[in-house]
Amino acid sequence: MQDVVLPSDLRFFSVLAMAGSLSAAARELGLTTAAVSKHLTQMESRAGVPLINRTTRRMMLTPEGELYLEHARRILDEIDELSELLGSSKRRPEGLLRVNATLGFGRSHVAPIISKFVAEYPQVSVQLQLSVTPPPLTEDSFDVCIRFGEPPDTRVVARRLASNSRLLCATPEYLARRGMPVTPHDLTKHNCVGIRQGDEAYGVWRLTAGSGTAPKTETVKIRGNLTTNDGEIAVKWALEGHGILMRAEWDVRPYLRDGRLVQVLPGWQTPNADIYAVYSQRHQMSNRIRAFVDFIAAQLADISPEATDSTPAATRRTGRGHKTRG
């Protein structure tokens, strides 16, 4: 009886699905497009069902292809982890590491850390993909996802890498022109720069004052004439004096230090958005994943706002004497 699945098919199909097209997979595998097409045709012939629907512009996995990919990736992960446990790579990480991160933070912080990581561990190959929205936790396209906020899904491992306060800020010139908000409700009278990212409700800012058993929370529906899904663009618009921005302290800290931005409503806290590394429970024994998560945690600790600021956040001042934590 002819084998339906060959061991060589598993990694081939995983690469093909990740590449998104026959030509991209050919470049990744070092083959011709014709050779990739022939291999896929042979796989489908053995399986007796189509695995991929191909058109002139794109390809999509069939339900059978989705099932094939799910099992292929799990088997490949188990093979890699067994190799790490039994072989010399247990002492030195090696193999492919697929990382996902958000656009702004991934470009500014994760990519430079990956550069240092592969210099330290040259036997590890890293594929970094940046996206506006984190992939679903059930998706198995990535080994590690760097994301904001602790995921509610207990089926994954979520390691907190660094704290991440989000601040409200604007230029001193804008505030001189429009006035400094005193209460959250005052924000409704201002032009606010909107960011559409992730699953968060767009155009709604939730602010909390106080702590303990009875904190005060206010929800504000903001308005503004500028919206983007790119945090770097939003920061640039705020720096150009267009309005008030809510952004991670990681992204606005330099501008708060030099006075180009001033914190607004420093007594009010925004929802927690700490930085986490998220990965599947079955990857806990993977040497390369553990090494990468340990490495990025150490690197972020060295460059975090807490580590690089010399004065307590509550007493720092920028701009025209306004109190700020950034």
Short mmCIF file of all heavy atoms in Angstrom, two decimals, residues 36-103:
data_model
loop_
_atom_site.label_atom_id
_atom_site.label_comp_id
_atom_site.label_asym_id
_atom_site.label_seq_id
_atom_site.Cartn_x
_atom_site.Cartn_y
_atom_site.Cartn_z
N VAL A 36 8.20 22.72 -7.11
CA VAL A 36 7.27 22.85 -5.98
C VAL A 36 5.88 22.40 -6.39
O VAL A 36 5.19 21.68 -5.66
CB VAL A 36 7.25 24.31 -5.47
CG1 VAL A 36 6.14 24.51 -4.45
CG2 VAL A 36 8.60 24.67 -4.87
N SER A 37 5.43 22.82 -7.57
CA SER A 37 4.12 22.43 -8.06
C SER A 37 4.02 20.91 -8.22
O SER A 37 3.00 20.30 -7.87
CB SER A 37 3.84 23.13 -9.39
OG SER A 37 2.58 22.76 -9.90
N LYS A 38 5.08 20.30 -8.73
CA LYS A 38 5.09 18.85 -8.92
C LYS A 38 5.02 18.12 -7.58
O LYS A 38 4.27 17.14 -7.43
CB LYS A 38 6.34 18.43 -9.68
CG LYS A 38 6.43 16.93 -9.95
CD LYS A 38 7.70 16.58 -10.73
CE LYS A 38 7.79 15.08 -10.98
NZ LYS A 38 9.03 14.73 -11.72
N HIS A 39 5.78 18.60 -6.58
CA HIS A 39 5.76 17.98 -5.26
C HIS A 39 4.37 18.06 -4.66
O HIS A 39 3.85 17.09 -4.10
CB HIS A 39 6.78 18.66 -4.35
CG HIS A 39 7.03 17.93 -3.07
ND1 HIS A 39 8.18 18.09 -2.33
CD2 HIS A 39 6.29 17.02 -2.38
CE1 HIS A 39 8.12 17.33 -1.25
NE2 HIS A 39 6.98 16.68 -1.26
N LEU A 40 3.73 19.21 -4.80
CA LEU A 40 2.38 19.38 -4.25
C LEU A 40 1.39 18.46 -4.95
O LEU A 40 0.54 17.83 -4.30
CB LEU A 40 1.94 20.84 -4.39
CG LEU A 40 0.50 21.15 -3.97
CD1 LEU A 40 0.28 20.79 -2.50
CD2 LEU A 40 0.18 22.63 -4.21
N THR A 41 1.51 18.35 -6.27
CA THR A 41 0.62 17.46 -7.02
C THR A 41 0.78 16.02 -6.57
O THR A 41 -0.21 15.29 -6.42
CB THR A 41 0.91 17.59 -8.53
OG1 THR A 41 0.67 18.94 -8.94
CG2 THR A 41 0.02 16.65 -9.33
N GLN A 42 2.02 15.60 -6.32
CA GLN A 42 2.27 14.23 -5.85
C GLN A 42 1.67 14.01 -4.47
O GLN A 42 1.10 12.94 -4.19
CB GLN A 42 3.77 13.97 -5.83
CG GLN A 42 4.41 13.89 -7.21
CD GLN A 42 5.93 13.84 -7.15
OE1 GLN A 42 6.54 14.21 -6.14
NE2 GLN A 42 6.54 13.38 -8.25
N MET A 43 1.77 15.02 -3.60
CA MET A 43 1.18 14.91 -2.26
C MET A 43 -0.34 14.75 -2.35
O MET A 43 -0.93 13.91 -1.66
CB MET A 43 1.52 16.15 -1.42
CG MET A 43 2.95 16.23 -0.96
SD MET A 43 3.25 17.77 -0.05
CE MET A 43 2.02 17.67 1.26
N GLU A 44 -0.96 15.56 -3.20
CA GLU A 44 -2.41 15.50 -3.33
C GLU A 44 -2.85 14.18 -3.96
O GLU A 44 -3.90 13.63 -3.60
CB GLU A 44 -2.90 16.68 -4.16
CG GLU A 44 -2.73 18.03 -3.44
CD GLU A 44 -3.14 19.21 -4.28
OE1 GLU A 44 -2.91 19.15 -5.52
OE2 GLU A 44 -3.68 20.17 -3.73
N SER A 45 -2.04 13.65 -4.84
CA SER A 45 -2.35 12.37 -5.46
C SER A 45 -2.32 11.25 -4.42
O SER A 45 -3.20 10.38 -4.39
CB SER A 45 -1.36 12.08 -6.59
OG SER A 45 -1.60 10.80 -7.15
N ARG A 46 -1.29 11.28 -3.54
CA ARG A 46 -1.21 10.27 -2.50
C ARG A 46 -2.34 10.40 -1.50
O ARG A 46 -2.89 9.40 -1.03
CB ARG A 46 0.14 10.35 -1.78
CG ARG A 46 1.32 9.88 -2.60
CD ARG A 46 2.56 9.69 -1.74
NE ARG A 46 3.02 10.95 -1.16
CZ ARG A 46 3.88 11.77 -1.76
NH1 ARG A 46 4.36 11.45 -2.96
NH2 ARG A 46 4.28 12.87 -1.18
N ALA A 47 -2.69 11.66 -1.17
CA ALA A 47 -3.74 11.89 -0.18
C ALA A 47 -5.13 11.61 -0.75
O ALA A 47 -6.06 11.28 -0.01
CB ALA A 47 -3.67 13.33 0.34
N GLY A 48 -5.26 11.76 -2.08
CA GLY A 48 -6.55 11.51 -2.70
C GLY A 48 -7.52 12.67 -2.58
O GLY A 48 -8.70 12.56 -2.95
N VAL A 49 -7.05 13.81 -2.07
CA VAL A 49 -7.89 15.01 -1.93
C VAL A 49 -7.03 16.23 -2.24
O VAL A 49 -5.80 16.21 -2.05
CB VAL A 49 -8.47 15.15 -0.50
CG1 VAL A 49 -9.46 14.04 -0.20
CG2 VAL A 49 -7.35 15.16 0.53
N PRO A 50 -7.64 17.31 -2.74
CA PRO A 50 -6.86 18.55 -2.93
C PRO A 50 -6.52 19.16 -1.59
O PRO A 50 -7.35 19.20 -0.67
CB PRO A 50 -7.82 19.43 -3.74
CG PRO A 50 -9.19 18.93 -3.42
CD PRO A 50 -9.03 17.45 -3.20
N LEU A 51 -5.31 19.65 -1.48
CA LEU A 51 -4.85 20.29 -0.23
C LEU A 51 -4.83 21.80 -0.35
O LEU A 51 -4.92 22.50 0.66
CB LEU A 51 -3.45 19.78 0.14
CG LEU A 51 -3.33 18.28 0.36
CD1 LEU A 51 -1.87 17.89 0.61
CD2 LEU A 51 -4.20 17.83 1.52
N ILE A 52 -4.71 22.29 -1.58
CA ILE A 52 -4.65 23.73 -1.81
C ILE A 52 -5.47 24.08 -3.05
O ILE A 52 -5.38 23.39 -4.07
CB ILE A 52 -3.19 24.21 -2.01
CG1 ILE A 52 -2.42 24.11 -0.69
CG2 ILE A 52 -3.13 25.64 -2.54
CD1 ILE A 52 -0.97 24.54 -0.78
N ASN A 53 -6.28 25.12 -2.92
CA ASN A 53 -6.97 25.67 -4.08
C ASN A 53 -6.11 26.76 -4.69
O ASN A 53 -5.78 27.75 -4.02
CB ASN A 53 -8.34 26.25 -3.67
CG ASN A 53 -9.33 25.16 -3.32
OD1 ASN A 53 -9.32 24.09 -3.93
ND2 ASN A 53 -10.18 25.42 -2.33
N ARG A 54 -5.71 26.61 -5.94
CA ARG A 54 -4.79 27.54 -6.58
C ARG A 54 -5.51 28.35 -7.63
O ARG A 54 -6.27 27.81 -8.44
CB ARG A 54 -3.62 26.78 -7.20
CG ARG A 54 -2.83 25.97 -6.20
CD ARG A 54 -1.63 25.26 -6.82
NE ARG A 54 -1.98 24.08 -7.57
CZ ARG A 54 -2.27 22.89 -7.02
NH1 ARG A 54 -2.31 22.78 -5.72
NH2 ARG A 54 -2.52 21.85 -7.79
N THR A 55 -5.26 29.67 -7.62
CA THR A 55 -5.74 30.55 -8.68
C THR A 55 -4.54 31.29 -9.23
O THR A 55 -3.40 31.09 -8.78
CB THR A 55 -6.77 31.56 -8.13
OG1 THR A 55 -6.12 32.47 -7.24
CG2 THR A 55 -7.90 30.87 -7.40
N THR A 56 -4.77 32.16 -10.19
CA THR A 56 -3.65 32.89 -10.79
C THR A 56 -3.05 33.90 -9.81
O THR A 56 -1.90 34.29 -9.96
CB THR A 56 -4.13 33.64 -12.04
OG1 THR A 56 -5.24 34.48 -11.68
CG2 THR A 56 -4.55 32.67 -13.13
N ARG A 57 -3.83 34.31 -8.80
CA ARG A 57 -3.33 35.35 -7.89
C ARG A 57 -3.01 34.87 -6.49
O ARG A 57 -2.19 35.46 -5.81
CB ARG A 57 -4.37 36.48 -7.79
CG ARG A 57 -4.56 37.26 -9.09
CD ARG A 57 -5.43 38.47 -8.84
NE ARG A 57 -5.54 39.30 -10.04
CZ ARG A 57 -6.20 40.45 -10.09
NH1 ARG A 57 -6.81 40.90 -8.99
NH2 ARG A 57 -6.26 41.14 -11.20
N ARG A 58 -3.67 33.82 -6.04
CA ARG A 58 -3.46 33.40 -4.65
C ARG A 58 -3.75 31.92 -4.50
O ARG A 58 -4.26 31.27 -5.42
CB ARG A 58 -4.36 34.20 -3.71
CG ARG A 58 -5.83 34.07 -4.04
CD ARG A 58 -6.71 34.92 -3.12
NE ARG A 58 -6.54 34.58 -1.74
CZ ARG A 58 -7.33 35.05 -0.77
NH1 ARG A 58 -8.30 35.90 -1.06
NH2 ARG A 58 -7.14 34.70 0.48
N MET A 59 -3.40 31.41 -3.35
CA MET A 59 -3.74 30.02 -3.05
C MET A 59 -4.31 29.96 -1.64
O MET A 59 -3.94 30.74 -0.76
CB MET A 59 -2.52 29.11 -3.18
CG MET A 59 -1.43 29.35 -2.16
SD MET A 59 -0.05 28.22 -2.39
CE MET A 59 0.67 28.25 -0.73
N MET A 60 -5.24 29.04 -1.44
CA MET A 60 -5.89 28.88 -0.15
C MET A 60 -5.93 27.41 0.21
O MET A 60 -6.14 26.55 -0.66
CB MET A 60 -7.31 29.45 -0.17
CG MET A 60 -7.38 30.96 -0.37
SD MET A 60 -9.09 31.56 -0.32
CE MET A 60 -9.58 31.04 1.33
N LEU A 61 -5.72 27.12 1.50
CA LEU A 61 -5.78 25.74 1.94
C LEU A 61 -7.23 25.25 1.92
O LEU A 61 -8.15 25.98 2.30
CB LEU A 61 -5.23 25.62 3.36
CG LEU A 61 -3.77 26.00 3.59
CD1 LEU A 61 -3.38 25.75 5.04
CD2 LEU A 61 -2.84 25.22 2.67
N THR A 62 -7.41 24.03 1.48
CA THR A 62 -8.72 23.39 1.58
C THR A 62 -8.90 22.93 3.03
O THR A 62 -7.95 22.95 3.83
CB THR A 62 -8.79 22.17 0.65
OG1 THR A 62 -7.82 21.20 1.10
CG2 THR A 62 -8.50 22.57 -0.79
N PRO A 63 -10.10 22.52 3.45
CA PRO A 63 -10.27 21.98 4.80
C PRO A 63 -9.31 20.83 5.09
O PRO A 63 -8.77 20.72 6.20
CB PRO A 63 -11.73 21.52 4.81
CG PRO A 63 -12.41 22.44 3.84
CD PRO A 63 -11.40 22.65 2.74
N GLU A 64 -9.09 19.97 4.08
CA GLU A 64 -8.12 18.88 4.26
C GLU A 64 -6.70 19.43 4.39
O GLU A 64 -5.88 18.89 5.15
CB GLU A 64 -8.20 17.91 3.08
CG GLU A 64 -9.50 17.13 2.97
CD GLU A 64 -10.63 17.94 2.34
OE1 GLU A 64 -10.36 19.06 1.84
OE2 GLU A 64 -11.77 17.44 2.34
N GLY A 65 -6.41 20.51 3.65
CA GLY A 65 -5.10 21.14 3.76
C GLY A 65 -4.88 21.75 5.13
O GLY A 65 -3.77 21.67 5.69
N GLU A 66 -5.92 22.37 5.69
CA GLU A 66 -5.83 22.94 7.05
C GLU A 66 -5.53 21.83 8.05
O GLU A 66 -4.70 21.99 8.96
CB GLU A 66 -7.13 23.64 7.42
CG GLU A 66 -7.45 24.87 6.58
CD GLU A 66 -6.67 26.09 7.04
OE1 GLU A 66 -5.87 25.98 7.98
OE2 GLU A 66 -6.87 27.16 6.43
N LEU A 67 -6.21 20.70 7.93
CA LEU A 67 -5.98 19.56 8.82
C LEU A 67 -4.56 19.03 8.66
O LEU A 67 -3.87 18.73 9.65
CB LEU A 67 -7.01 18.46 8.52
CG LEU A 67 -6.92 17.19 9.37
CD1 LEU A 67 -7.23 17.52 10.83
CD2 LEU A 67 -7.88 16.13 8.85
N TYR A 68 -4.13 18.91 7.43
CA TYR A 68 -2.77 18.43 7.13
C TYR A 68 -1.73 19.35 7.77
O TYR A 68 -0.78 18.90 8.43
CB TYR A 68 -2.58 18.39 5.62
CG TYR A 68 -1.38 17.60 5.13
CD1 TYR A 68 -1.53 16.40 4.47
CD2 TYR A 68 -0.07 18.07 5.34
CE1 TYR A 68 -0.44 15.67 4.01
CE2 TYR A 68 1.02 17.36 4.89
CZ TYR A 68 0.84 16.16 4.23
OH TYR A 68 1.93 15.45 3.80
N LEU A 69 -1.93 20.68 7.59
CA LEU A 69 -0.97 21.65 8.13
C LEU A 69 -0.92 21.60 9.65
O LEU A 69 0.16 21.65 10.25
CB LEU A 69 -1.35 23.06 7.66
CG LEU A 69 -0.45 24.19 8.16
CD1 LEU A 69 0.96 24.03 7.63
CD2 LEU A 69 -1.03 25.54 7.74
N GLU A 70 -2.07 21.52 10.29
CA GLU A 70 -2.12 21.47 11.75
C GLU A 70 -1.30 20.31 12.29
O GLU A 70 -0.49 20.45 13.21
CB GLU A 70 -3.57 21.36 12.21
CG GLU A 70 -3.73 21.23 13.73
CD GLU A 70 -5.16 20.96 14.14
OE1 GLU A 70 -6.07 21.05 13.28
OE2 GLU A 70 -5.38 20.64 15.33
N HIS A 71 -1.50 19.13 11.73
CA HIS A 71 -0.78 17.94 12.21
C HIS A 71 0.70 18.00 11.81
O HIS A 71 1.57 17.59 12.58
CB HIS A 71 -1.44 16.68 11.66
CG HIS A 71 -2.72 16.32 12.35
ND1 HIS A 71 -2.78 15.47 13.43
CD2 HIS A 71 -3.98 16.75 12.14
CE1 HIS A 71 -4.03 15.35 13.84
NE2 HIS A 71 -4.78 16.13 13.07
N ALA A 72 0.98 18.52 10.61
CA ALA A 72 2.37 18.61 10.16
C ALA A 72 3.18 19.48 11.11
O ALA A 72 4.31 19.13 11.50
CB ALA A 72 2.44 19.15 8.73
N ARG A 73 2.65 20.64 11.46
CA ARG A 73 3.38 21.55 12.35
C ARG A 73 3.58 20.94 13.73
O ARG A 73 4.64 21.10 14.34
CB ARG A 73 2.65 22.88 12.44
CG ARG A 73 2.85 23.75 11.20
CD ARG A 73 2.05 25.02 11.26
NE ARG A 73 2.43 25.93 10.18
CZ ARG A 73 1.69 26.95 9.77
NH1 ARG A 73 0.53 27.20 10.35
NH2 ARG A 73 2.11 27.73 8.78
N ARG A 74 2.56 20.26 14.23
CA ARG A 74 2.71 19.64 15.55
C ARG A 74 3.77 18.55 15.52
O ARG A 74 4.62 18.46 16.43
CB ARG A 74 1.37 19.08 16.02
CG ARG A 74 1.47 18.49 17.43
CD ARG A 74 0.11 18.22 18.05
NE ARG A 74 -0.60 17.16 17.33
CZ ARG A 74 -1.71 17.36 16.64
NH1 ARG A 74 -2.23 18.58 16.55
NH2 ARG A 74 -2.31 16.36 16.03
N ILE A 75 3.77 17.74 14.48
CA ILE A 75 4.76 16.67 14.38
C ILE A 75 6.17 17.26 14.24
O ILE A 75 7.12 16.78 14.88
CB ILE A 75 4.43 15.75 13.18
CG1 ILE A 75 3.13 14.98 13.46
CG2 ILE A 75 5.58 14.78 12.91
CD1 ILE A 75 2.58 14.27 12.24
N LEU A 76 6.32 18.29 13.41
CA LEU A 76 7.63 18.91 13.22
C LEU A 76 8.13 19.53 14.52
O LEU A 76 9.33 19.45 14.83
CB LEU A 76 7.54 19.97 12.12
CG LEU A 76 7.34 19.44 10.69
CD1 LEU A 76 7.03 20.59 9.75
CD2 LEU A 76 8.56 18.67 10.21
N ASP A 77 7.24 20.17 15.26
CA ASP A 77 7.63 20.75 16.54
C ASP A 77 8.11 19.67 17.50
O ASP A 77 9.12 19.84 18.21
CB ASP A 77 6.45 21.50 17.18
CG ASP A 77 6.16 22.82 16.48
OD1 ASP A 77 7.07 23.34 15.80
OD2 ASP A 77 5.04 23.32 16.60
N GLU A 78 7.40 18.55 17.54
CA GLU A 78 7.78 17.47 18.44
C GLU A 78 9.12 16.86 18.03
O GLU A 78 9.94 16.50 18.89
CB GLU A 78 6.68 16.40 18.45
CG GLU A 78 5.40 16.88 19.14
CD GLU A 78 4.26 15.88 19.02
OE1 GLU A 78 4.42 14.87 18.26
OE2 GLU A 78 3.21 16.09 19.65
N ILE A 79 9.36 16.75 16.72
CA ILE A 79 10.65 16.23 16.25
C ILE A 79 11.78 17.18 16.65
O ILE A 79 12.83 16.75 17.15
CB ILE A 79 10.63 16.04 14.72
CG1 ILE A 79 9.70 14.89 14.35
CG2 ILE A 79 12.03 15.78 14.18
CD1 ILE A 79 9.47 14.72 12.85
N ASP A 80 11.57 18.47 16.44
CA ASP A 80 12.59 19.46 16.80
C ASP A 80 12.88 19.45 18.29
O ASP A 80 14.04 19.52 18.72
CB ASP A 80 12.15 20.86 16.36
CG ASP A 80 12.16 21.03 14.85
OD1 ASP A 80 12.80 20.20 14.18
OD2 ASP A 80 11.53 21.98 14.36
N GLU A 81 11.82 19.37 19.09
CA GLU A 81 12.02 19.39 20.53
C GLU A 81 12.71 18.12 21.01
O GLU A 81 13.54 18.15 21.93
CB GLU A 81 10.67 19.57 21.23
CG GLU A 81 10.12 20.99 21.06
CD GLU A 81 8.67 21.12 21.50
OE1 GLU A 81 8.21 20.23 22.25
OE2 GLU A 81 8.02 22.11 21.12
N LEU A 82 12.38 16.98 20.41
CA LEU A 82 13.06 15.74 20.77
C LEU A 82 14.54 15.83 20.42
O LEU A 82 15.40 15.39 21.19
CB LEU A 82 12.41 14.55 20.05
CG LEU A 82 13.03 13.18 20.32
CD1 LEU A 82 12.96 12.84 21.81
CD2 LEU A 82 12.32 12.11 19.49
N SER A 83 14.84 16.42 19.26
CA SER A 83 16.24 16.58 18.87
C SER A 83 16.99 17.45 19.87
O SER A 83 18.14 17.19 20.21
CB SER A 83 16.31 17.21 17.47
OG SER A 83 15.74 16.36 16.51
N GLU A 84 16.31 18.51 20.34
CA GLU A 84 16.94 19.39 21.32
C GLU A 84 17.20 18.68 22.63
O GLU A 84 18.23 18.88 23.28
CB GLU A 84 16.06 20.62 21.56
CG GLU A 84 16.06 21.59 20.40
CD GLU A 84 15.24 22.83 20.71
OE1 GLU A 84 14.06 22.69 21.05
OE2 GLU A 84 15.81 23.93 20.64
N LEU A 85 16.26 17.84 23.05
CA LEU A 85 16.40 17.15 24.33
C LEU A 85 17.49 16.08 24.28
O LEU A 85 18.20 15.84 25.25
CB LEU A 85 15.08 16.50 24.73
CG LEU A 85 13.96 17.46 25.15
CD1 LEU A 85 12.65 16.72 25.30
CD2 LEU A 85 14.34 18.16 26.45
N LEU A 86 17.65 15.43 23.12
CA LEU A 86 18.58 14.31 23.01
C LEU A 86 19.94 14.69 22.45
O LEU A 86 20.93 14.03 22.74
CB LEU A 86 17.97 13.22 22.12
CG LEU A 86 16.67 12.59 22.61
CD1 LEU A 86 16.18 11.55 21.61
CD2 LEU A 86 16.86 11.95 23.99
N GLY A 87 19.98 15.76 21.65
CA GLY A 87 21.21 16.09 20.95
C GLY A 87 22.01 17.20 21.57
O GLY A 87 21.69 17.74 22.64
N SER A 88 23.03 17.59 20.87
CA SER A 88 23.93 18.65 21.36
C SER A 88 23.24 20.00 21.40
O SER A 88 23.67 20.90 22.10
CB SER A 88 25.17 18.73 20.45
OG SER A 88 24.79 19.03 19.12
N SER A 89 22.15 20.15 20.62
CA SER A 89 21.47 21.44 20.60
C SER A 89 20.81 21.75 21.93
O SER A 89 20.34 22.86 22.15
CB SER A 89 20.42 21.46 19.49
OG SER A 89 19.46 20.43 19.68
N LYS A 90 20.76 20.76 22.84
CA LYS A 90 20.22 21.04 24.17
C LYS A 90 21.09 22.07 24.87
O LYS A 90 20.63 22.85 25.70
CB LYS A 90 20.16 19.75 24.99
CG LYS A 90 19.52 19.91 26.36
CD LYS A 90 19.44 18.60 27.10
CE LYS A 90 18.79 18.78 28.46
NZ LYS A 90 18.71 17.52 29.22
N ARG A 91 22.38 22.10 24.54
CA ARG A 91 23.30 23.07 25.14
C ARG A 91 23.34 24.36 24.33
O ARG A 91 23.64 25.41 24.88
CB ARG A 91 24.70 22.46 25.23
CG ARG A 91 24.77 21.24 26.15
CD ARG A 91 26.21 20.81 26.31
NE ARG A 91 26.81 20.43 25.03
CZ ARG A 91 26.74 19.19 24.53
NH1 ARG A 91 26.08 18.25 25.19
NH2 ARG A 91 27.31 18.91 23.38
N ARG A 92 23.06 24.28 23.06
CA ARG A 92 23.16 25.45 22.20
C ARG A 92 21.94 25.50 21.27
O ARG A 92 21.78 24.62 20.43
CB ARG A 92 24.44 25.38 21.36
CG ARG A 92 24.83 26.67 20.69
CD ARG A 92 25.34 27.67 21.70
NE ARG A 92 25.77 28.91 21.04
CZ ARG A 92 26.03 30.03 21.68
NH1 ARG A 92 25.90 30.07 23.01
NH2 ARG A 92 26.42 31.11 21.04
N PRO A 93 21.07 26.50 21.38
CA PRO A 93 19.85 26.53 20.58
C PRO A 93 20.15 26.56 19.08
O PRO A 93 21.12 27.17 18.64
CB PRO A 93 19.19 27.85 21.01
CG PRO A 93 19.74 28.14 22.36
CD PRO A 93 21.15 27.62 22.33
N GLU A 94 19.29 25.90 18.32
CA GLU A 94 19.40 25.92 16.87
C GLU A 94 18.04 25.63 16.27
O GLU A 94 17.10 25.23 16.97
CB GLU A 94 20.43 24.90 16.38
CG GLU A 94 20.06 23.45 16.68
CD GLU A 94 21.08 22.47 16.15
OE1 GLU A 94 22.28 22.82 16.09
OE2 GLU A 94 20.68 21.35 15.78
N GLY A 95 17.92 25.88 14.98
CA GLY A 95 16.66 25.61 14.29
C GLY A 95 15.91 26.88 13.94
O GLY A 95 16.38 27.99 14.18
N LEU A 96 14.72 26.70 13.39
CA LEU A 96 13.89 27.82 12.93
C LEU A 96 13.03 28.35 14.07
O LEU A 96 12.40 27.58 14.80
CB LEU A 96 13.00 27.37 11.77
CG LEU A 96 11.99 28.39 11.24
CD1 LEU A 96 12.71 29.61 10.66
CD2 LEU A 96 11.07 27.76 10.21
N LEU A 97 12.97 29.68 14.19
CA LEU A 97 12.13 30.34 15.18
C LEU A 97 11.25 31.35 14.46
O LEU A 97 11.74 32.29 13.83
CB LEU A 97 12.99 31.04 16.23
CG LEU A 97 12.26 31.76 17.36
CD1 LEU A 97 11.53 30.75 18.24
CD2 LEU A 97 13.24 32.58 18.19
N ARG A 98 9.93 31.19 14.55
CA ARG A 98 8.97 32.07 13.89
C ARG A 98 8.37 33.02 14.92
O ARG A 98 7.73 32.58 15.87
CB ARG A 98 7.87 31.26 13.21
CG ARG A 98 8.39 30.25 12.18
CD ARG A 98 7.33 29.22 11.85
NE ARG A 98 6.96 28.45 13.04
CZ ARG A 98 5.91 27.63 13.09
NH1 ARG A 98 5.14 27.47 12.04
NH2 ARG A 98 5.64 26.96 14.21
N VAL A 99 8.59 34.31 14.72
CA VAL A 99 8.18 35.32 15.69
C VAL A 99 7.19 36.29 15.05
O VAL A 99 7.38 36.73 13.91
CB VAL A 99 9.41 36.11 16.21
CG1 VAL A 99 8.97 37.15 17.25
CG2 VAL A 99 10.43 35.15 16.83
N ASN A 100 6.16 36.64 15.80
CA ASN A 100 5.21 37.67 15.37
C ASN A 100 5.22 38.80 16.39
O ASN A 100 5.34 38.57 17.59
CB ASN A 100 3.79 37.09 15.26
CG ASN A 100 2.76 38.16 14.93
OD1 ASN A 100 2.18 38.78 15.82
ND2 ASN A 100 2.54 38.40 13.66
N ALA A 101 5.10 40.03 15.90
CA ALA A 101 5.03 41.20 16.78
C ALA A 101 4.21 42.28 16.10
O ALA A 101 3.96 42.22 14.89
CB ALA A 101 6.44 41.71 17.11
N THR A 102 3.79 43.27 16.88
CA THR A 102 3.02 44.37 16.31
C THR A 102 3.94 45.28 15.50
O THR A 102 5.16 45.28 15.68
CB THR A 102 2.36 45.18 17.42
OG1 THR A 102 3.36 45.66 18.33
CG2 THR A 102 1.36 44.34 18.19
N LEU A 103 3.33 46.07 14.62
CA LEU A 103 4.10 46.88 13.68
C LEU A 103 5.10 47.81 14.36
O LEU A 103 6.31 47.71 14.16
CB LEU A 103 3.15 47.71 12.81
CG LEU A 103 2.42 46.98 11.68
CD1 LEU A 103 1.42 47.92 11.02
CD2 LEU A 103 3.41 46.46 10.66
#
